[in-house]
């Protein structure tokens, strides 16, 4: 599944990269790290896998959740809860203007 997902991601990001050059806009790639990766300590491998298919390095988010993943993710499905979303929004807002690094 990971191979198929990475291939689809590679194609989509290549298209985004081509569009950015054609249309003249900048973009950044963010990896919203799954809670399972934080708990298992595998978020660096996931980042490396993404960066292996991305036209430019992705910006990880694991560091903003690492102190207490249970506080930021729903236990029953692993999605970000409202507090996790607020933290992500603050992280992204703090990077305003940091596009096209």
């Amino acid at each position: 599944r990971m191979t198929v997902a990475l291939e689809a991601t590679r194609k989509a990001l290549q298209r985004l990269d081509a569009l950015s050059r054609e249309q003249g806009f900048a973009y950044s790639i963010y990896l919203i790290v799954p809670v399972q990766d934080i708990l298992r300590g595998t978020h660096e491998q996931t980042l490396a896998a993404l960066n292996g298919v991305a036209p430019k390095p992705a910006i990880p988010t694991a560091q903003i959740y690492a102190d207490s993943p249970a506080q930021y993710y729903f236990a029953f499905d692993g999605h970000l809860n409202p507090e996790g979303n607020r933290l992500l929004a603050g992280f992204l807002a703090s990077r305003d203007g940091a596009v096209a690094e």
Side-chain angles (χ1 to χ4, degrees), residues 2-68:
M2 180 65 103
T3 301
V4 171
L6 286 172
E7 180 59 19
T9 300
R10 182 188 65 75
K11 287 178 182 177
L13 290 176
Q14 281 181 335
R15 178 74 176 128
L16 174 64
D17 194 63
L19 282 171
S20 75
R21 284 184 271 111
E22 290 168 12
Q23 302 299 320
F25 65 87
Y27 69 94
S28 294
I29 302 167
Y30 290 89
L31 173 59
I32 312 303
V33 180
V35 69
Q36 297 86 346
D37 272 358
I38 294 172
L39 296 174
R40 292 180 194 135
T42 57
H43 56 276
E44 291 294 329
Q45 290 95 324
T46 302
L47 178 61
L50 175 58
N51 283 336
V53 299
K56 63 185 189 177
I59 301 161
T61 61
Q63 70 278 10
I64 65 175
Y65 302 114
D67 65 329
S68 180

Side-chain angles (χ1 to χ4, degrees), residues 65-80:
Y65 302 114
D67 65 329
S68 180
Q71 180 181 344
Y72 306 116
Y73 291 85
F74 287 114
F76 57 88
D77 70 0
H79 287 89
L80 291 172

Side-chain angles (χ1 to χ4, degrees), residues 82-96:
E83 187 58 32
N85 280 307
R86 273 191 286 282
L87 195 61
L88 178 60
F91 176 77
L92 295 173
S94 74
R95 297 189 57 82
D96 187 32

